[in-house]
């Protein structure tokens, strides 16, 4: 990959502005945690693993700014800041998972030097990033065995390098399959309203020389009906204990269509996306986004002024529609009959 | 309705430019049949019944331009012109149906005055328009009985007044139900790539005071899963002899989802949309549109430069997914179990 969604620098992180892709490749350096929260909220950085990594670094950076305090006071302050970071986006569990992990590292610190405490949080964030890279590679290795020569894979939204600290989740499978010399094609749903499939997935795959064709979300069913899709592989923002999962809006529709056509439906996600504290899909909070994301594109209106809009950012797919989960620990069967 | 998609004037027709809706309400007057063909090709006028009406008037207008000929020669010329008009768009049967009807009227003419011949074609086009208005009203009357108080109706694309010579097909049902005092809500799929649902259906329904909420196409499944949709009503571009039908891309996916959730799926269409010469869905030609319709909006790119695109304008829904057809002759059951 010749790009990174997030890169730690000296006491700051560099974030690739995904809102501007594929037209412009712009990086921003942030040394204030509030800017990183904004970056997460506005989808400058997005993707469940990537926002977790950004959140952990945000906590480390926040701790560095607290220079006139002591370790015990800083530990208390960080609890509030962690809450602030975690509330930036509600659906993906990776954000709270990573921020809690960084926070726990801080709470366990038993020295008396606040700089040292900050360094511990920073190190934890770097560990999360490094482990994510390794998890992506492992997902890719496990998933690649599911790909056959001449397969045509459908994906939705972006579960690629742009969404993680490594080579992605769903797209990691494709990168690894390509590295193994397998020949396959990809159809990418454009993924309304913010077009992560068109702007990000197509861009990533084209950069890596993978044969990708863009379709509108509503064309996937017709492709399946024509026998043009071998399997679906996409990511997840949170997987409940029973296997129900949240992912980008439209995932559920793809899952229903895949079942209706007998097409395998695979969900690629790292261990950090599995949430033991959420028992089923109905317990996952669904973020609603602003109407303007649906009614405008690039400043051009796409709908009548004042129209009512419903815009959930995610939907819930029951485990009964999942053929298997592709994780860093291996392939875990779903419950699709 | 305070607008008309097509209106015959003196030796010309006035067409509402639907590419510019809802931002601008602009009418163009055409007295050259080639301009009307362009108008159909570029989707300035669209919707199966409406392009049929436009095509019939185009033939009448073409005949008026042939002043230096005789009746027999004109009849031969009109056969070629009719072919030219019919080839403007391949999927909707109404275009060839209406043009053939106008052409037959010409071929049966047994006078020797070319002006009189032209008048006959013009009269036939006006009859087609008038009958379409009546068919729309009849569809509305038959369909309204399917709507209950507090229903929430999902529709896709635009099968409204903008698509016909009257008050629409699918939307006619809503207009009639409202006139009967029924209270209901509508969700409108935005309908990528050209956003006929967002731009046209929302605009029409808002004009008529019907409660409409815009969603992206990929959100319909999630609404159904949440129990928020009472029924689906949409139009058709061609209905084959066995009941399979072509309609705007995405219709098939909605039909699969409706069946999976046990939600009634209704297809509203006039008699002219039923094609006795097409035995099943696989015999319906599917128009492919240009990549730019997917990769740009309002001049702003939505995808990487040079990305491959697949963009069928229509899909085929098998009759096994249809609960019933709402026609001007009454409700005809589909074959959904």
């Amino acid at each position: 990959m010749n790009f990174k969604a997030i890169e730690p620098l000296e006491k700051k992180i560099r974030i690739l502005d995904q809102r501007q892709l594929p037209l412009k490749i712009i990086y921003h350096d942030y040394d204030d945690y509030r800017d990183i929260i904004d970056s997460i909220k506005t989808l400058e950085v997005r993707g469940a693993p990537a926002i977790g990594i950004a959140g952990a670094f945000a906590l480390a950076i926040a701790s560095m700014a607290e220079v006139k305090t002591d370790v015990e006071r800083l530990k208390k302050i960080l609890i509030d800041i962690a809450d602030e970071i975690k509330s930036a986006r509600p659906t993906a569990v990776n954000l709270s998972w990573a921020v809690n992990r960084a926070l726990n590292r801080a709470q366990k610190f038993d020295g008396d030097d606040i700089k040292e405490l900050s360094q511990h949080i920073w190190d934890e964030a770097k560990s999360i990033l490094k482990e994510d890279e390794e998890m992506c590679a492992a997902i890719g290795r496990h998933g690649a065995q599911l790909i056959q020569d001449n397969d045509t894979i459908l994906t939705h939204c972006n579960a690629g390098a742009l969404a993680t600290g490594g080579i992605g989740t769903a797209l990691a499978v494709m990168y690894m399959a390509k590295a193994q010399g397998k020949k396959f094609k990809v159809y990418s749903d454009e993924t309304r309203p913010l077009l992560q499939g068109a702007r990000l997935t197509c861009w990533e795959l084209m950069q890596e020389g993978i044969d990708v064709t863009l379709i509108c979300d509503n064309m996937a069913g017709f492709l399946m009906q024509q026998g043009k899709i071998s399997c679906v592989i996409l990511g997840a923002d949170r997987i409940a204990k029973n296997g129900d999962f949240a992912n980008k809006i439209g995932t559920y529709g793809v899952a229903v269509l895949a079942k209706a056509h007998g097409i395998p439906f695979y969900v690629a996600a790292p261990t950090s996306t599995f949430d033991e504290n959420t028992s089923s899909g109905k317990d996952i909070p669904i973020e609603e986004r602003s109407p303007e994301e649906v009614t405008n594109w690039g400043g051009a209106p796409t709908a009548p002024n004042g129209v009512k809009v419903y815009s959930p950012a995610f939907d819930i797919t029951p485990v009964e529609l999942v053929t298997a989960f592709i994780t860093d620990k291996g392939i875990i069967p779903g419950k699709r009959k």
Side-chain angles (χ1 to χ4, degrees), chain A residues 1-8 16 18 45-54 57 94 125-141 158-173 175-176 203-204 208 270 272:
Chain A
M1 301 289 159
N2 56 4
F3 63 89
K4 278 187 188 304
I6 304 176
E7 189 177 8
L16 173 56
Q18 300 192 33
V45 58
R46 32 65 54 202
I51 63 174
I53 295 161
F57 277 111
N94 312 60
K126 280 183 75 172
S127 295
I128 292 169
L129 171 58
K130 186 161 176 297
E131 289 165 28
D132 191 61
E133 282 177 23
E134 291 164 359
M135 286 194 288
C136 287
I139 288 168
R141 280 193 305 273
N158 174 266
L162 289 167
T164 63
I167 59 168
T169 55
L171 300 197
V173 174
Y175 295 135
M176 283 294 182
W203 182 77
E204 265 199 60
E208 298 297 314
S272 59

Side-chain angles (χ1 to χ4, degrees), chain A residues 34-47:
Chain A
R34 288 163 295 200
D35 292 334
I36 301 172
I37 290 177
D38 278 348
S39 177
I40 294 169
K41 281 185 178 169
T42 61
L43 278 53
E44 181 177 85
V45 58
R46 32 65 54 202

